[in-house]
Every structure is written in structure tokens, then in C-alpha cells.
Amino acid sequence: MLSVICESPGVLRAQQSDVPVRVAGEVLLRVSRVGICGTDLHIFTGNQPYLQYPRVMGHEFSGVVVEAEHNSGFAPGDGVYVMPYLSCGQCVACRQGKTNCCVDIKVLGVHRDGALAEYLSVPAQFVHKAEGVTLDQAAMLEFLAIGAHAVRRAEVLADQRVLVVGAGPIGMAAMIFAKLRGANVTCLDTRSDRLEFCKTRLNVDATVGVGPTDAEQLASLTNNEFFDVVFDATGNIDAMNRGFGFVAHGGKYTLISIVPGQVTFSDPEFHKREMTLLASRNATTADFETVLEAMRSGRIPDQALNTHRMRLADVPDAFPRLLEKGQTVVKALVEC
């Protein structure tokens, strides 16, 4: 079978390898679509803190069942999606249902080889039927679920003022699900094309470009009170530290981004606001179900989000172009 491996930062190579042999408890899948996300871009650029090279990337994907145990509930030809966070089911987090932050989590495409391949065999408990959605949509579930999880974790309410800093795919996912909860959503980003997309395709209530007057603009939008809930989805430590200043008194700050570094803040300002600081990592089965329900009812602009496509064989040449200046990439899908 064909697969694409990231040998080292900046080096992608197409290779032929054996089709994986399904072992007991697994489902063998013919990979259909793979979404490219910020994690993959960080792996390619050498900026992913949890990874060792070489690695086959790809954790957002859909596929078709090739082979499964007869009592698994799956049959050849079933369209499926995969929860890429392989949790242990036994640790302190898993026992509380927080499988997204399992102590011994193994993420496909990060801790073990992922889906940029024609076939993949995965444990059956992480495979789910993609009922009522297309295989394109099923491959987009994961990044949307991360946004849905962050919004659920922050307990966003109708009419709350929400600021999302960072208009990449994860930030957009947070905007979508905050809007679905009835919040008033503002987006802050450095790129005018991303801000325009959020305004015209995601119907956010306001957009602000990063610049000398951005804090004044954000204050003006909120009667100088700032925001009930702030999400950071930038992957930038300076932006993460700065975001504390945009949280209203009594508000919440949720960090979706993860970076290798120290997050710092002013304790007097933190206490003065009685601020709640939250980390949001990955997603749970419940979050995937939230996204599926929204997709089935037509409330996710998935076709607009899918801005780029490429074939698996073309990934070594086409993938680096996603990073070129002027590319307005939201979600690229690889056709396997």
C-alpha cells in the first residue's frame, strides 16, 4: 500500500509498505479522507512537543471497513470515522469519563502512525459508524469536536460575549459552536482573509484585526467590560499570555492551544477578576456526537470549510504549499 511518512522536519516521502494485518479486537479500514490540521503542520515544521520522527501523520480521517470481527457490529463496506485518541480506559482520567486527557493517551498520527496511508488497522472501540454524513464530513469531525469540547468545557451560554483569538480551523470550530449556543461572538486574528471568512461564512458578530488599537476596539464592542468567555486558539505563547487582559470580571479563559513554554499572568489582575482558567484538550465521544447532530441538521458549513484537496500520492509535493504565503487554507482534505 501507499503511505506518506514525515521522516524529519520538512521532509515528506511517499513509500510502499505492507497492508497492516488486523489483530484481534481491531478493525481494518480502507482510508477514505484525511484532514490536514495544525498538528500536522507543526509536525512538518518541527514544532510538535509530543512526537518522535519518523511518523506517518494523519489523525482526522474517515474510512470504509474492510475486515472486522463478526460480533464487532461492523461489516465490510461500512463508512466510519475514528476517535484518534487511543485512551487506556483505566487511569484516573478515564475512570471519570475524561478519556480526552488519558494519562497514557496515544494519538494516531502523533504517538503512533496515522492515516496518511491507504489502509489502517485500529482498535474497534475507537471506530464509529458515520451514519447520516458523507465521508468528507466524517473526516472533518475531529477538529470540529475540539471546538465543541472547548465550548462545552467553558459552559458558554446564550447572549454571553465570547472572544475567539485565532481564526484557524480550531478557532473557527469554537466560533461555530459558541454561535450555536446563542453567544455573541467576536474574532481576533492577524489575517484579514481569515477575518473576512469568519464574518461572511461563519456569521460571527464582529471581527478585529490584531494591531495597535485592537484592545480599544475590543473594549468598545463590550462597553469596556471585555468578554465573558475568551478562547485562545493561536498556538502562540505571546497571544496566550496577552489574552488574560481580554477577560471580563467573573469571566473564563480557555486555552485550546498548546505550546512548549510557560504561560504567565498577573496574579493581582487574575484575582481581581476572580477569573477561571481552563485547559481544553482533544474531545470526547459526546463532543463528536454533538458535531454529528449539527452536521446532520445542516448547521455546519462544512463545504465552505473544505478549501483545499489533494491526492495521497501528491502529498509530498502539495503539503508544503499549504504553508505558502497567500494560501487561504481552512481545511485541506487528502483523498486516499
Side-chain angles (χ1 to χ4, degrees), residues 70-98:
H70 89 242
N71 61 351
S72 66
F74 298 105
D78 285 345
V80 298
Y81 68 92
V82 175
M83 286 276 293
Y85 328 116
L86 308 187
S87 51
C88 74
Q90 300 173 345
C91 71
V92 60
C94 288
R95 293 197 306 269
Q96 300 176 72
K98 298 179 180 180

Side-chain angles (χ1 to χ4, degrees), residues 1-12:
M1 70 171 186
L2 177 67
S3 64
V4 174
I5 191 166
C6 187
E7 293 186 323
S8 59
V11 180
L12 294 172

Side-chain angles (χ1 to χ4, degrees), residues 22-28 68-69 71-74 81-83 86 121-129:
R22 185 186 70 82
V23 300
E26 291 190 342
V27 178
L28 178 63
E69 293 173 3
N71 61 351
S72 66
F74 298 105
Y81 68 92
V82 175
M83 286 276 293
L86 308 187
S121 189
V122 295
Q125 66 264 40
F126 302 106
V127 182
H128 302 268
K129 291 183 180 179

